[in-house]
Amino acid sequence: MSKRLVAALLVCCAVLGGFLPDLNAQSGDGVKDRLADLENKVEVLLRENSDLRTKVSAMEADRSQSDSDAMIAGELERYVNALAYNQDFSVVRPPSGVQEIYFRGEWRTRVDYRSNTGDLTDEIDDQGLRLDYKFNLGFGFILTPNATEEGSALFIETYFEVQAAGRASNNTAEDLASSIGAGAGGFEARGNELDEVQLYEAWIKLVNLFGVDDLTLKIGRQEIVYGSGLIMGSNDFFTGTVHDGLVVDIPLGGGSTAHLFYAKEGAPDGLVNPGLATGGLLAGRFRASGDEDEILGIYTEIRNESLDPVEIDAYWVYFGAHEPNSNVSPINGTTSADPGIDSFGRAKIGGEFHTLGILLKSWDLLVDGLYLSAEFAYQIGDDETGADINAMVFEFTTEYALPFMEESRGRVFASYYFAEGPDGDSTQGFTPLFITRHKNSTSPGRGFSRLGNIDFIPTQNVHVVQIGFKFEPAERWTAGVTYLTAFLNHSSESVTVVQTGQVFVDDRHLGHEIDFFAEYLHNSQTQFFFNVSVFIPEFDYIFENPTSAATPFREVDSDLAFGAYAQVRVRF
């Protein structure tokens, strides 16, 4: 009922009340009864108006809450969709036809002090302070799916990301030209300036292809990382590693998935003689001879209730570099690791070979709080000289949550790593392809690194034993210590040390390393890392001196190496 109607009724009541004596006198009890009835009706109308106002207010509140709930539900749906496609979430108003637009990125700055880490001798200037920095920025969008009668709706996602990375230091030995993560096939040497921005990722992904749930095709420049990162990793702790290729994810049912991947890893090897035209459409131009380096593989994650709590990963990877390594241009070859992070030097991958492997891992298999993993891989094929490759790698890791340190999550861990070196006529031992040496989190069974934070322990021809302890001394803090010792597999192995050249070592025992590390999680976007490491060598160098017939070799003592860094990493 409107306010005006109620006011009019009240005025009528007042007027009638004022004339009540005269009306009673003129009309008697009949008029009085009618007035009493009118007053009752007015009271009823007033009550109904009050009830109506209460209902209207409640309805308005419900509508407001409903709108709020709908908004929250919509945001949650977008958030879940973003997580489902492994993308960071951001609130952006999408244009028509786009379900989700997101931005993500990373800024990392590290202050790093090192002494004698280049070659463990005083031969080069490898002592001083340096700054290491990286910036990534990417954006992507997910197209609105169209429902089909045949199966699940098709999601289409695209993504584009650029990266700038650099290093500044006060000496030449540590001011290394590292590889940008702009493609394993490119690996063009980057400078040490942040204004050198290069493409990191650019891909398109189709999900629920042909109406099949979770059947996915992803094509373009992308990271290809599986399992523990022993064979296929990204080294995201540094600049990262990406590949130009395609990946198909095939659901096998019961939680199992097969990943098929193919990528071009390097430009064609070598060049034709200058002045030789190719003819046809390329007349007057020159083109590279030989095939491109490439990888082809399948990585299968086997998940089955009958195997629980054991998980099994099995893989096969073919790598082909079709020309002798001597013909590979320095910017065209496929390098299996950033050349600035392996002091023993990782040569370019050569030859054609197959890698077959299996990874077993389990939580709480024997006792509660126990993690176990074991990975074995075998390589067979030919190196760049045509010699047979028969090599293997084995890695075992374990971690146990101490029951008396449940509140601070105290854990002890250990690992053993073995990789064969060159054997027989081959110049190439086991090649762990794109191994991840470091991670930005403490993986089960190890600290922040696979083979130590000094980066002196090699990835080939080596036995490495690691033990350690980590715990959470306070909320958002993780701290720990790792001890490693390493032995060469072949005592006669010659090694290449950064900036030093070809040398031999006089002892199979490389030495010991102690790493102290800590991580502080300030919030979901910001992390701080701290590390102090010492490497104590057990060997001395035997330098080859071919220019001197009288002294073809000379011995050089090795010295202790020290490194420390503090890093802040912001992700959004």
Side-chain angles (χ1 to χ4, degrees):
M1 182 176 288
S2 68
K3 294 181 179 181
R4 293 182 178 179
L5 179 57
V6 174
L9 289 173
L10 291 174
V11 170
C12 290
C13 291
V15 173
L16 291 173
F19 286 100
L20 187 59
D22 293 337
L23 292 171
N24 284 340
Q26 296 177 8
S27 305
D29 294 336
V31 175
K32 183 178 181 180
D33 291 339
R34 287 194 295 274
L35 288 174
D37 183 59
L38 182 60
E39 289 178 349
N40 290 334
K41 290 181 178 180
V42 170
E43 290 179 2
V44 171
L45 290 172
L46 290 173
R47 286 196 302 269
E48 289 179 351
N49 180 69
S50 177
D51 293 342
L52 184 59
R53 280 181 170 279
T54 301
K55 291 180 180 179
V56 169
S57 297
M59 291 175 64
E60 290 178 348
D62 289 343
R63 184 178 66 181
S64 176
Q65 183 62 41
S66 177
D67 291 343
S68 177
D69 290 344
M71 183 181 298
I72 294 174
E75 296 298 332
L76 286 175
E77 182 181 2
R78 295 173 59 215
Y79 179 65
V80 170
N81 286 336
L83 291 179
Y85 297 103
N86 195 28
Q87 302 298 338
D88 295 334
F89 173 69
S90 60
V91 179
V92 179
R93 181 69 62 185
S96 176
V98 177
Q99 178 176 339
E100 174 71 24
I101 295 179
Y102 58 87
F103 292 87
R104 68 180 184 184
E106 172 186 350
W107 168 253
R108 187 196 71 197
T109 299
R110 181 187 306 143
V111 180
D112 189 345
Y113 178 82
R114 294 202 170 198
S115 175
N116 204 33
T117 59
D119 65 351
L120 304 182
T121 73
D122 295 326
E123 296 277 315
I124 60 176
D125 176 18
D126 56 358
Q127 178 176 340
L129 196 67
R130 66 183 184 183
L131 301 177
D132 199 318
Y133 28 76
K134 180 176 75 168
F135 179 76
N136 285 56
L137 178 63
F139 68 91
F141 62 87
I142 302 174
L143 295 178
T144 304
N146 296 316
T148 63
E149 296 180 358
E150 292 77 11
S152 300
L154 175 67
F155 279 85
I156 302 176
E157 181 181 4
T158 66
Y159 185 71
F160 179 89
E161 181 176 343
V162 295
Q163 180 186 88
R167 177 179 297 168
S169 65
N170 65 347
N171 57 68
T172 57
E174 285 299 312
D175 193 12
L176 301 172
S178 305
S179 58
I180 187 75
F187 269 102
E188 296 181 3
R190 64 166 168 82
N192 293 320
E193 301 295 335
L194 280 176
D195 58 0
E196 293 189 18
V197 180
Q198 298 191 36
L199 178 65
Y200 185 69
E201 288 192 276
W203 46 258
I204 184 169
K205 180 166 67 174
L206 309 178
V207 184
N208 300 333
L209 197 61
F210 306 123
V212 179
D213 288 350
D214 300 323
L215 178 61
T216 302
L217 169 65
K218 185 177 179 183
I219 184 168
R221 178 161 293 182
Q222 59 190 290
E223 292 182 343
I224 302 180
V225 181
Y226 295 115
S228 68
L230 178 65
I231 304 297
M232 299 298 298
S234 73
N235 262 326
D236 67 333
F237 188 79
F238 296 92
T239 56
T241 302
V242 289
H243 307 259
D244 293 327
L246 60 89
V247 175
V248 179
D249 299 331
I250 304 174
L252 302 179
S256 300
T257 307
H259 308 276
L260 283 71
F261 55 92
Y262 172 82
K264 289 291 187 181
E265 290 303 318
D269 301 325
L271 296 173
V272 297
N273 294 327
L276 178 63
T278 59
L281 295 175
L282 298 178
R285 296 173 178 264
F286 308 106
R287 66 181 179 185
S289 62
D291 297 325
E292 295 179 320
D293 296 355
E294 58 189 356
I295 59 171
L296 172 67
I298 178 171
Y299 194 98
T300 305
E301 298 165 336
I302 303 172
R303 308 292 183 262
N304 193 290
E305 292 183 359
S306 62
L307 298 173
D308 191 61
V310 177
E311 298 178 354
I312 301 176
D313 293 359
Y315 53 86
W316 162 76
V317 181
Y318 162 79
F319 180 88
H322 302 287
E323 294 293 327
N325 195 43
S326 59
N327 291 338
V328 177
S329 166
I331 64 171
N332 287 346
T334 300
T335 305
S336 55
D338 185 325
I341 67 167
D342 195 331
S343 293
F344 268 68
R346 293 292 301 280
K348 291 179 174 63
I349 304 175
E352 297 183 61
F353 54 90
H354 303 264
T355 303
L356 297 96
I358 185 170
L359 168 63
L360 305 175
K361 52 187 176 180
S362 175
W363 287 263
D364 306 324
L365 176 62
L366 303 175
V367 296
D368 290 342
L370 179 65
Y371 169 82
L372 297 168
S373 77
E375 185 165 3
F376 174 83
Y378 190 80
Q379 286 181 341
I380 186 170
D382 301 324
D383 66 10
E384 69 261 16
T385 67
D388 290 339
I389 297 175
N390 290 284
M392 60 163 284
V393 67
F394 174 75
E395 183 177 52
F396 171 79
T397 64
T398 183
E399 181 172 304
Y400 178 62
L402 300 172
F404 56 87
M405 295 186 67
E406 184 175 356
E407 184 175 347
S408 60
R409 298 194 68 233
R411 290 152 289 167
V412 292
F413 58 90
S415 69
Y416 169 68
Y417 175 95
F418 165 66
E420 283 189 334
D423 198 7
D425 295 328
S426 175
T427 60
Q428 182 171 306
F430 186 88
T431 300
L433 294 178
F434 307 101
I435 187 172
T436 293
R437 291 184 62 111
H438 298 253
K439 298 190 72 173
N440 276 303
S441 62
T442 50
S443 304
R446 59 172 64 96
F448 279 111
S449 64
R450 181 176 243 117
L451 299 172
N453 290 333
I454 290 288
D455 297 322
F456 191 84
I457 297 174
T459 57
Q460 298 171 296
N461 186 44
V462 69
H463 300 264
V464 185
V465 176
Q466 176 181 164
I467 58 174
F469 168 74
K470 53 190 173 184
F471 72 117
E472 296 179 4
E475 185 179 3
R476 301 185 180 183
W477 277 95
T478 298
V481 59
T482 305
Y483 165 78
L484 304 97
T485 186
F487 296 81
L488 289 177
N489 184 36
H490 301 309
S491 59
S492 61
E493 173 74 0
S494 63
V495 296
T496 301
V497 179
V498 172
Q499 301 288 323
T500 302
Q502 196 75 9
V503 300
F504 296 89
V505 293
D506 67 350
D507 197 321
R508 287 183 56 197
H509 191 185
L510 291 178
H512 316 269
E513 180 169 332
I514 301 176
D515 300 325
F516 298 92
F517 59 85
E519 173 191 31
Y520 173 65
L521 183 63
H522 180 66
N523 54 41
S524 59
Q525 285 79 39
T526 308
Q527 296 169 296
F528 293 87
F529 299 91
F530 306 93
N531 171 73
V532 176
S533 298
V534 177
F535 186 86
I536 306 169
E538 290 286 345
F539 68 93
D540 290 323
Y541 290 114
I542 306 297
F543 279 65
E544 189 174 12
N545 188 15
T547 60
S548 174
T551 57
F553 298 96
R554 64 186 179 94
E555 184 173 356
V556 177
D557 295 337
S558 60
D559 299 318
L560 180 145
F562 173 82
Y565 73 83
Q567 171 183 288
V568 58
R569 184 187 192 208
V570 179
R571 304 184 71 186
F572 54 88

